[in-house]
Amino acid sequence: YQSMRGPLHIKPLIYLIPAGLFGILLFATCSGRADDAAAYNDSIISHQSKIISAFDTMDATLSDTASSVEKLEYAHIFLKDQVHNSIMALDSIGPFRKDPSLQKAARTLFYEYENMAGFEYNNLLQIALKPPYSITQTVIDSVKTLQDHLKVRSKKAQEAFTEEQVRFGKKYHLVFE
């Protein structure tokens, strides 16, 4: 009886060890994948933050009535360069583990930023460079229209990116703050 009892207790333990190791390995793999996905997302967000900062600088420069022509032009060039550099960085980052979904969404967002910098902000710059005596109510209205258009474009682009970011997070077990 003693000899039969020994193997019965050992046998389940022998089966539990590989199952436990598999569970630990699976948890570590999922945890590592989530950590990698979070780092990937953070990398994209760091580039987006640089672009947003360049937009903020451009907005502040446009709002400052004492800004020189050179300062206005520099802020616009800096904005366009920051967007371009961030798009290039997306190409170097590549897809996440052969999943290009977040990279594509970020690229679409960054291209929208590029279009805004090239069109609306270019128009705002041209208006800011006008002599004060040429600023009419029509010009003021066009600035308001451009600003409204920027808000709508920016909001739509950000919402589309955020939706894909949430899907990416669910796929790789991330929780966004």
Side-chain angles (χ1 to χ4, degrees):
Y1 182 75
Q2 245 344 313
S3 62
M4 285 187 67
R5 186 172 179 209
L8 288 177
H9 287 287
I10 294 173
K11 196 170 186 182
L13 259 172
I14 291 172
Y15 290 123
L16 285 177
I17 291 172
L21 289 175
F22 177 74
I24 291 169
L25 182 62
L26 182 64
F27 176 75
T29 301
C30 290
S31 177
R33 190 169 78 168
D35 290 344
D36 290 349
Y40 182 83
N41 178 72
D42 290 349
S43 177
I44 290 173
I45 297 306
S46 74
H47 289 288
Q48 183 187 18
S49 295
K50 290 176 187 177
I51 294 170
I52 298 302
S53 178
F55 273 115
D56 290 345
T57 299
M58 182 72 196
D59 289 339
T61 305
L62 285 168
S63 296
D64 183 1
T65 56
S67 291
S68 66
V69 171
E70 293 81 17
K71 188 173 181 179
L72 286 163
E73 289 173 343
Y74 175 78
H76 191 235
I77 290 168
F78 179 75
L79 170 61
K80 292 190 307 185
D81 284 348
Q82 187 58 62
V83 173
H84 176 76
N85 291 340
S86 293
I87 291 170
M88 298 296 288
L90 283 177
D91 292 337
S92 69
I93 292 170
F96 179 73
R97 297 187 180 189
K98 298 182 182 179
D99 177 0
S101 60
L102 192 60
Q103 179 192 26
K104 285 181 179 180
R107 186 177 285 119
T108 299
L109 176 64
F110 290 6
Y111 279 140
E112 190 64 22
Y113 290 152
E114 185 176 54
N115 291 333
M116 288 187 284
F119 182 73
E120 284 90 354
Y121 275 89
N122 187 56
N123 289 340
L124 289 170
L125 175 65
Q126 296 311 311
I127 292 168
L129 294 175
K130 289 182 178 245
Y133 63 84
S134 69
I135 304 297
T136 64
Q137 187 60 45
T138 304
V139 172
I140 293 169
D141 291 344
S142 68
V143 167
K144 173 98 172 91
T145 301
L146 285 168
Q147 290 171 335
D148 290 344
H149 194 226
L150 279 167
K151 285 179 189 174
V152 169
R153 281 181 81 174
S154 178
K155 182 179 178 183
K156 283 183 181 180
Q158 183 59 48
E159 285 173 352
F161 175 73
T162 301
E163 286 175 18
E164 186 57 46
Q165 191 180 34
V166 168
R167 280 192 289 275
F168 179 83
K170 286 179 182 176
K171 192 183 306 181
Y172 298 104
H173 310 289
L174 298 178
V175 178
F176 295 106
E177 297 174 359

